[in-house]
Amino acid sequence: MSMPTGTTAEPQAAPVADSHDLIRVEGARVNNLKDVSVEIPKRRLTLFTGVSGSGKSSLVFGTIAAESQRMINETYSAFVQGFMPTLARPEVDLLEGLTTAIIVDQERMGANPRSTVGTATDANALLRILFSRLGDPHIGSPNAYSFNIPTVKASGAITVERGAKTKAEKATFNRLGGMCPRCEGMGSVSDFDLSALYDDTKSLAEGALTVPGYSMDGWYGRIFSGAGLPMDKPIAKFSKKDLHKLLYSEPEKIKVEGVNLTYEGLIPKIQKSMLSKDREAMQPHVRAFVDRAITFTTCPDCGGTRLAPEALSSKIRGKNIADVCAMQINDLAGWVRDLDEPSVAPLLKGLQHLLDSFAEIGLGYLSLDRPAGTLSGGEAQRTKMIRHLGSSLTDVTYVFDEPTIGLHPHDIQRMNNLLLQLRDKGNTVLVVEHKPETIAIADHVVDLGPAAGTGGGTICFEGSVEGLRASDTITGRHLGDTTRLKESVRQSTGALEIRGASTHNLKGVDVDVPLGVLCVVTGVAGSGKSSLIHGSVTRREGVVVIDQSAIKGSRRSNPATYSGLLEPIRKAFAKANGVKPALFSSNSEGACPTCNGAGVIYTDLGVMATVESTCEDCDGKRFQAAVLEFTLGGRNIAEVLAMPVAEAEEFFSAGEARTPAAHKILDRLKDVGLGYLTLGQPLTTLSGGERQRLKLAAQMAEKGDVYVLDEPTTGLHLADVEQLLGLLDRLVDSGKSVIVIEHHQAVMAHADWIIDLGPGAGHDGGRVVFEGTPGELVQDRSTLTGEHLAAYVGR
């Protein structure tokens, strides 16, 4: 259409709806944040940097993501909200422009022993449908291929109505499930070592049972006597009938002191209460008992495939569903690509895309039957990412917590591409990260600091990556960090011999791990580093392992209770005031009676979410007012627990409060870079890297000669890595041997000896491709690690 002459077209104003392009935060005060205000561009990739403990997670997870999730939860009905976790409103003056937040964190995958990589993504569901359509012989619906669904058979009378008459007819019902009946879909069967369950020279009343939690003082004693078991006879003298009843009895109803209870034999009870949980999710003392008392062997009926014989008999091109799930995902993608079946074309396309995503993200070395609980934090995070890559959601906020964890420098480029892909779909991507390779791709950077804990919580810089590089912040100064190779390396004092290691993808590896030095084991993700060390080193005597698994503890646990620090502190308070140590425990006699020492009161509102409020009587201090009158060095117990580690270390070093036992533990906590943590901070609020360093501090006291650390630089800022290297040096200089599984080039450059695995991942890895000093690795440049290390040290 031609414009009329003599008039100019008015420039059309953009619709108001398009102007909301910022997430605005004003006055955030969560944890250590000091009235932080920040504007984050939408549909861009924003990185949050800063030293460990500077407040990055408090701003991203504790404020922005938490409020987004809380508001979404409020859209559900009151009934549904009753089943959801309570999310408190974050302490912030204003939040504007929020969108739905999807959090992809480092938490390990669920602790369900039946969960595998295939069930955690959609891969298994798609394969089951594929086999139910194309499998030969055809055995039934997709349920027939699921190891989580048992076969159900029933027969009996059913009532049929015809016209005005009803008639009873005999009917049978059969639903074929894929679960192996022998192992119930677990893939392994358990056998009990009875000598680990009880001491047969003692009677039940004398405490013969050695199962955790089975004390005869409580209800268990009453239940056993109520079931008719002889309480005062040594178990060795039990009749066959009594021993069978104690160990194997099916559940039966009994009455004890007028109360209806259920009695069940020890072994079925342990199977239900302990063996149905994933080993990693157990408390340490229960795990130790299970390891001692129970041996797991591959199920003889299904050969560890978890599947019933019918499911294993149905095949596509000579492979059953178990064979397919055991293939490396890279190979499986090729197998699916070769299936040309127009009848299931959309299904094959979806499965193809999913398997290709695994390869793209660098997880092509996994197999679908790999138990989800065995994935590392980084692998679990990348598996969760796969769900979102194929998602049709756009204009949402993705929040990532250090997505480069567990990635070799070679793999980081792939991760960067994925983050950019998510952004280019029209999403806002927020990433908490320390690696300079990932910081480099950001559209916008927010740097928090300047220090950790109370010394942090402010914004030091906001802007572009170039601006950050030029700024005089800690991150800016360290961004271009390179390091020099050590002038001289320590000589080993001996060696740990590994011969014929074949765990997972290892191909009969023979290697000598030098002792008395800092030895770094490296290689691309999936090359077999963890398999080599955890499979062949960690079970040896005198080896202390410090990994990244979550510290088990409730919100009542804190660094003081976990590290054993509270014990000497309580004794020092008790001695100074002439009272019992139990008074200075918020879980014992000294607890505030109103909140039972929790510091908060939970109000259950029936169908609505439970409300959490600070206890008014103790003002969140957890102790009775009378206990707070007792002081040590002028401070009461609540004030001591509110101290950061660094301040407490000075406090307990001299004067009236001098407590050498406490000072020693505080010294170790400060050594591992946790000087900013307060003694009473709940463990549930610690990041992955903080948890590992807390474990390191606690286990440095153990009598071990060899320390194995699994990626200790997780969650560490470039500036904190230097402090960690100093700590590792001190450990080696004190006569210990330190083995570190690590990808960080600064740690590699600092090593005395490097063992590099590869050359690729999965079945392309599993071999030692280099062993020698860092200098030789750089000179050699024959491996991917060598190339990246050479670039890092500027050779």
Side-chain angles (χ1 to χ4, degrees), residues 429-511:
V429 182
L430 309 181
V431 184
V432 171
E433 188 51 88
H434 294 290
K435 292 270 170 72
E437 298 98 318
T438 301
I439 295 173
I441 64 162
D443 300 312
H444 188 74
V445 182
V446 178
D447 187 37
L448 283 104
T454 48
T458 58
I459 302 247
C460 300
F461 173 81
E462 234 184 306
S464 66
V465 181
E466 283 65 42
L468 176 67
R469 228 179 267 279
S471 72
D472 193 31
T473 64
I474 294 181
T475 310
R477 288 199 296 275
H478 283 274
L479 205 53
D481 263 11
T482 55
T483 189
R484 290 205 312 276
L485 292 170
K486 285 202 298 198
E487 298 292 317
S488 63
V489 294
R490 303 179 185 93
Q491 295 305 308
S492 69
T493 55
L496 267 179
E497 291 186 2
I498 298 174
R499 295 291 176 266
S502 54
T503 313
H504 298 315
N505 66 332
L506 296 177
K507 298 181 172 67
V509 169
D510 294 341
V511 67

Side-chain angles (χ1 to χ4, degrees), residues 595-632:
C595 63
N596 291 327
V600 291
I601 290 174
Y602 300 99
T603 313
D604 191 0
L605 300 178
V607 293
M608 302 226 352
T610 305
V611 173
E612 186 184 300
S613 51
T614 304
C615 172
E616 289 179 6
D617 284 11
C618 66
D619 203 19
K621 289 178 182 163
R622 303 175 168 214
F623 292 92
Q624 298 172 19
V627 173
L628 299 180
E629 286 172 17
F630 297 118
T631 60
L632 176 69

Side-chain angles (χ1 to χ4, degrees), residues 118 182 253 293 297 338 414 418 452 462 479 495 565 682 695 771:
R182 171 85 178 262
K253 294 270 184 277
T297 50
D338 291 344
R414 280 172 166 169
L418 289 167
E462 234 184 306
L479 205 53
L565 172 67
K695 275 189 195 178
E771 44 183 325

Side-chain angles (χ1 to χ4, degrees), residues 238-256:
F238 270 28
S239 65
K240 275 188 179 173
K241 190 178 170 191
D242 283 341
L243 191 59
H244 185 274
K245 184 164 192 170
L246 173 69
L247 294 175
Y248 303 105
S249 172
E250 291 294 312
E252 58 177 85
K253 294 270 184 277
I254 60 169
K255 210 172 187 118
V256 178

Side-chain angles (χ1 to χ4, degrees), residues 122 126 336 344-357:
D122 284 336
L126 295 170
V336 170
V344 285
L347 175 72
L348 287 172
K349 191 179 170 197
L351 184 57
Q352 191 64 62
H353 180 267
L354 179 66
L355 297 172
D356 287 345
S357 300

